[in-house]
Amino acid sequence: MASPTTLRKRTRPILRRVAATSLALGAIAFAAGCGNTDSDSTTSSTAAYQAVTVDHAFGQTVVKNKPTRIVSLSPTFTDALISLNTKPAGYLPNPMTNADYAWDQGNSNLAGVTKLPLGPGGTVPEEKIAALQPDLILGGGLILSKDEYDKLSKLAPTIPSLKAGALDSWQDDTTLVGKLLGREADAKPVIESTDKALADAKQKYPKLAGKTFAVSLFVDPTNIEVITNPDDNANKFFESLGMKIPDSLHGLTGGLGGLNGKISMERLDLLNSDLLSVGYMTPGASAQLEDQALFKQLPAVQHGTYLATDADVSSALRLPTARTTAWLLTKFDGVFGKL
């Protein structure tokens, strides 16, 4: 396991990079390995492939032929492929840990696929992607600029974020992957099953309605990030269960990317919520916060509805996929039951 110092050095440039996309504080991912065609599905495509035109943040991409060697630079796209029983030609694991995300560990569609970490400062290793000879690159929010997009587009048709300055939903990404594979009908039940998992949780825990929540990331004692952007995926997860952000966090700014809030150790009282989730990116970091007197006085801490999380949970909250919702529900099941 990497040392706390090594993880901290690795974390900072990646945090800056992903924060600039408004997508994540935790991590973003891609990797590479041996390509494969998609496996048999409930709706096999025997007809000629219909070209797909995708409008996105940097213009338009036309995919003329059915892709069989897909490199995914986004966990949302990677999980959409997995949900459709399709093995990518390349993917990157959680850059915080260089291991697969917890919900993807052991999945057969990633077996034998080489993992490629991001380069220094969270850079995209274009040469390694080129070596895979992809026929489609699903970039998502990892592609930050038109220049990066243009470089990758020379290797293969490339899909960056679909909307400029906005978060792509996992539903949109899953639908798009189905369409690109010629299997749009197969994507619908994937989305429906995830929506049902949320609906079932809401019914199981009706007392969540109206309760407050706060999602935070402990970078270090001088930088405690709080997700205050109402359009952030992490907030949407809890809001879909009927919960809301406490008034104390509304309008809080100063965080990475300018879209979230930042608080100091002296203002831990702002985390005054019924449920509190704090993500810690380095081993042992939780003690730096949990030993604080103000932290011990928080309602969630006193009532047992505070959950210390890791890079995987932070990533799942910030970058929801077709597969993470059910996984997250198991992680928060214990604290939901106490509210």
Side-chain angles (χ1 to χ4, degrees):
M1 177 182 292
S3 69
T5 300
T6 300
L7 283 171
R8 194 175 294 111
K9 288 180 179 178
R10 180 190 302 160
T11 298
R12 287 185 181 278
I14 294 173
L15 286 174
R16 286 193 294 269
R17 182 177 183 87
V18 296
T21 70
S22 306
L23 289 178
L25 288 174
I28 224 171
F30 91 88
C34 299
N36 197 354
T37 56
D38 54 287
S39 305
D40 292 339
S41 66
T42 55
T43 307
S44 60
S45 179
T46 57
Y49 183 78
Q50 299 293 316
V52 179
T53 299
V54 182
D55 294 319
H56 51 69
F58 298 124
Q60 191 176 79
T61 295
V62 178
V63 180
K64 298 180 180 179
N65 301 303
K66 183 177 180 179
T68 60
R69 295 188 58 80
I70 303 172
V71 169
S72 174
L73 312 184
S74 159
T76 306
F77 280 131
T78 299
D79 276 1
L81 291 169
I82 291 173
S83 296
L84 292 171
N85 200 26
T86 298
K87 194 167 188 173
Y91 83 106
L92 183 140
N94 189 337
M96 295 302 193
T97 61
N98 282 336
D100 282 342
Y101 291 98
W103 56 89
D104 285 337
Q105 290 174 5
N107 189 277
S108 60
N109 281 309
L110 297 180
V113 181
T114 303
K115 301 171 185 177
L116 297 179
L118 295 175
T123 56
V124 176
E126 296 167 12
E127 292 183 2
K128 294 180 180 180
I129 296 175
L132 295 172
Q133 299 181 321
D135 53 19
L136 177 64
I137 299 172
L138 298 174
L142 194 70
I143 303 176
L144 300 184
S145 67
K146 182 66 161 54
D147 181 61
E148 285 184 336
Y149 166 74
D150 290 340
K151 290 178 180 178
L152 291 174
S153 293
K154 293 178 181 179
L155 305 178
T158 299
I159 311 296
S161 292
L162 301 180
K163 302 173 184 177
L167 301 170
D168 294 339
S169 72
W170 66 266
Q171 293 94 331
D172 287 345
D173 284 352
T174 302
T175 299
L176 176 59
V177 169
K179 191 173 184 179
L180 290 167
L181 293 173
R183 297 169 50 198
E184 192 169 3
D186 292 340
K188 292 181 180 180
V190 172
I191 295 172
E192 290 171 354
S193 65
T194 303
D195 288 341
K196 184 178 185 302
L198 282 170
D200 289 346
K202 193 172 183 179
Q203 184 174 15
K204 180 180 179 181
Y205 298 116
K207 292 183 179 180
L208 294 182
K211 292 292 194 300
T212 58
F213 71 91
V215 181
S216 178
L217 179 72
F218 184 83
V219 181
D220 58 48
T222 66
N223 188 358
I224 305 170
E225 301 282 326
V226 186
I227 303 175
T228 55
N229 178 13
D231 293 326
D232 191 279
N233 285 321
N235 288 342
K236 288 181 178 179
F237 171 76
F238 292 104
E239 288 170 352
S240 69
L241 298 170
M243 305 183 73
K244 61 182 182 181
I245 302 172
D247 292 339
S248 59
L249 296 181
H250 284 291
L252 193 65
T253 60
L256 290 171
L259 293 176
N260 293 295
K262 178 180 178 180
I263 64 173
S264 64
M265 287 287 199
E266 293 74 27
R267 292 310 315 270
L268 291 177
D269 59 293
L270 292 174
L271 299 175
N272 184 25
S273 56
D274 297 312
L275 180 151
L276 174 61
S277 172
V278 181
Y280 300 94
M281 299 298 102
T282 56
S286 59
Q288 298 178 66
L289 189 61
E290 293 171 353
D291 288 345
Q292 300 296 312
L294 282 176
F295 189 80
K296 293 177 181 179
Q297 295 170 14
L298 292 174
V301 176
Q302 295 189 348
H303 299 152
T305 53
Y306 151 67
L307 187 65
T309 65
D310 56 15
D312 278 326
V313 174
S314 295
S315 298
L317 283 170
R318 303 306 302 282
L319 294 170
T321 76
R323 305 180 66 238
T324 57
T325 298
W327 183 80
L328 280 172
L329 288 172
T330 65
K331 290 294 179 181
F332 284 95
D333 186 70
V335 293
F336 285 162
K338 296 178 182 180
L339 289 171

